[in-house]
Amino acid sequence: MKLLISLVVILKLVATVTSLTIPENGKLWAVLVAGSNYYYNYRHQADVCHAYQILHTHGIPDENIIVMMYDDIANDEENPTPGIIVNHVNGSDVYHGVPKDYVGEQVTSQNFINVITGNKEAVRGIGSEKVLESGPNDHVFINFVDHGAVGILAFPSDELYVKDFIDALNTMHTKQMYNKTVLYVEACESGSMFEGVLPPNINMFATTAASADESSYACYYDDVRQTYLGDVYSVNWMEDSDAENLKSETLETQFEITKNETNTSHVQQYGDMTISKLSVSGFQGEKDTEPKHVPEVPFDAVPSRDVPLHILQKKLHKLNSNSLEARELQKSLFKLNRNREIGRAHV
């Protein structure tokens, strides 16, 4: 089905790829961020690790890729395959080789801002101390994955507000830190980080998992790992990048494919739409690779905010209802539902 949808979209677009996507002497840079922690948020780090593998395989050197993730999932006691993270049911390991630039409590909104604005002094003594050192001939790819709300992207212990985010993007532009920048953002209400606030004239193009007022969706529940392995928007664009020739596919085509295959939320695009005519390889790497295809499995998609609830329900369904573990899970499920009702009452 995915292949059929992809072919239909490509034929419909009849997109012309701009061959020279990176200015002469330009480089590719990337910042990949998983803004959550705890095992039930497994999918966020899995998404970011998968994104790293795509960029690395397509030739972007590690010194130009900056990764921020809590790094508490691979060796969590709940993980039945220690040291391994997958992004698809029965998928291959995506954790190997991933740089550990900023981990644990270093994953903050301020460190993220410092990284993308090239503020080396502000991160001195923190993590790898890597920041974007890109210039006016370079392309930058930013991928953020986590929870969100209207005007907010979440980090493990704080939040990034839309004004601060847009200010940072404007700073990148003012400092001539890129020729063009592309952002892919996976979060609930992620459209609110760009809608009506991303200037159309600063050479940035963004796509988001959801509109400004809806949830994004988790997918690929794994009975072995007892958690969701990915997010619908993220696995759709990444599985497309794995399977396609990135030099002959435009960002517009990847957006349309991802939009069509993400039937759980409304994938959006913002900013300078002329950038969408450029090839995906101009931001995700230009090295030729062998296409990778994964077997189709049901998305089993659920709203991101409901993930803890659905995990508990699935665990409970597999247990003898009279067992001690089942009774403990029933208590946890009751508390979770009660807290959700209290939360709704105060909205």
Side-chain angles (χ1 to χ4, degrees):
M1 179 61 72
K2 284 188 176 183
L3 180 60
L4 177 61
I5 293 174
S6 297
L7 288 172
V8 169
V9 171
I10 291 170
L11 289 171
K12 181 179 178 182
L13 286 173
V14 194
T16 302
V17 180
T18 304
S19 58
L20 298 176
T21 60
I22 308 173
E24 188 176 357
N25 300 320
K27 298 179 181 179
L28 299 183
W29 292 79
V31 179
L32 310 176
V33 183
S36 68
N37 55 346
Y38 300 123
Y39 190 76
Y40 67 86
N41 285 319
Y42 181 110
R43 65 197 186 279
H44 298 145
Q45 292 181 49
D47 290 341
V48 160
C49 288
H50 188 176
Y52 164 78
Q53 300 298 339
I54 290 169
L55 305 187
H56 177 78
T57 302
H58 284 89
I60 302 181
D62 282 1
E63 57 262 32
N64 288 15
I65 302 174
I66 303 167
V67 180
M68 304 182 73
M69 66 176 190
Y70 210 87
D71 195 28
D72 60 337
I73 301 304
N75 293 297
D76 187 280
E77 62 181 14
E78 292 188 64
N79 187 359
T81 56
I84 292 175
I85 293 176
V86 299
N87 198 216
H88 189 277
V89 177
N90 297 320
S92 58
D93 176 36
V94 293
Y95 183 67
H96 66 279
V98 177
K100 312 289 177 57
D101 293 304
Y102 298 91
V103 299
E105 295 302 318
Q106 299 163 352
V107 183
T108 68
S109 63
Q110 188 57 58
N111 283 340
F112 171 66
I113 288 174
N114 292 333
V115 165
I116 67 174
T117 57
N119 191 344
K120 276 189 82 71
E121 188 60 36
V123 297
R124 194 172 302 281
I126 301 173
S128 68
E129 301 185 357
K130 282 167 66 177
V131 299
L132 281 180
E133 298 186 61
S134 48
N137 293 325
D138 298 337
H139 281 182
V140 176
F141 178 70
I142 299 174
N143 179 213
F144 181 94
V145 183
D146 190 21
H147 297 288
V150 175
I152 294 172
L153 294 177
F155 280 77
S157 58
D158 71 327
E159 295 81 33
L160 175 63
Y161 293 92
V162 60
K163 181 183 183 304
D164 297 326
F165 184 43
I166 297 300
D167 285 349
L169 299 183
N170 279 315
T171 296
M172 290 175 64
H173 181 254
T174 300
K175 292 173 68 174
Q176 297 185 316
M177 293 181 65
Y178 62 92
N179 180 270
K180 292 176 177 63
T181 289
V182 166
L183 305 100
Y184 283 10
V185 179
E186 171 81 59
C188 294
E189 289 86 34
S190 43
S192 66
M193 300 302 290
F194 301 104
E195 188 172 297
V197 291
L198 178 65
N201 59 349
I202 61 171
N203 295 334
M204 288 191 175
F205 172 72
T207 79
T208 63
S211 68
D213 58 2
E214 66 180 348
S215 177
S216 62
Y217 280 71
C219 65
Y220 292 159
Y221 184 82
D222 185 355
D223 284 325
V224 175
R225 292 170 176 83
Q226 297 190 317
T227 190
Y228 289 87
L229 304 180
D231 294 281
V232 178
Y233 159 87
S234 289
V235 300
N236 278 332
W237 78 256
M238 288 189 288
E239 290 175 10
D240 176 68
S241 288
D242 281 333
E244 300 297 333
N245 181 338
L246 301 189
K247 290 181 180 178
S248 61
E249 180 171 278
T250 64
L251 292 164
E252 179 183 21
T253 301
Q254 183 159 91
F255 166 76
E256 290 293 344
I257 290 171
T258 304
K259 179 182 176 181
N260 276 274
E261 293 180 354
T262 305
N263 58 10
T264 48
S265 59
H266 298 84
V267 175
Q268 303 291 311
Q269 59 182 341
Y270 303 95
D272 183 349
M273 297 303 161
T274 64
I275 295 174
S276 71
K277 305 300 182 183
L278 302 180
S279 72
V280 177
S281 66
F283 299 89
Q284 295 179 25
E286 297 192 299
K287 181 180 177 181
D288 292 331
T289 65
E290 288 296 318
K292 298 178 183 177
H293 299 276
V294 293
E296 282 197 48
V297 298
F299 272 140
D300 192 15
V302 299
S304 290
R305 292 190 181 95
D306 293 343
V307 162
L309 173 66
H310 285 274
I311 290 175
L312 283 176
Q313 289 175 335
K314 286 177 179 293
K315 287 181 177 180
L316 191 58
H317 182 71
K318 293 182 66 175
L319 295 173
N320 182 321
S321 60
N322 294 319
S323 69
L324 178 60
E325 186 179 359
R327 290 198 295 271
E328 290 301 318
L329 283 177
Q330 286 169 343
K331 290 179 184 177
S332 297
L333 189 58
F334 173 78
K335 289 179 182 178
L336 182 60
N337 278 320
R338 183 181 63 185
N339 290 338
R340 283 159 57 88
E341 292 302 318
I342 291 173
R344 289 194 184 103
H346 286 83
V347 171

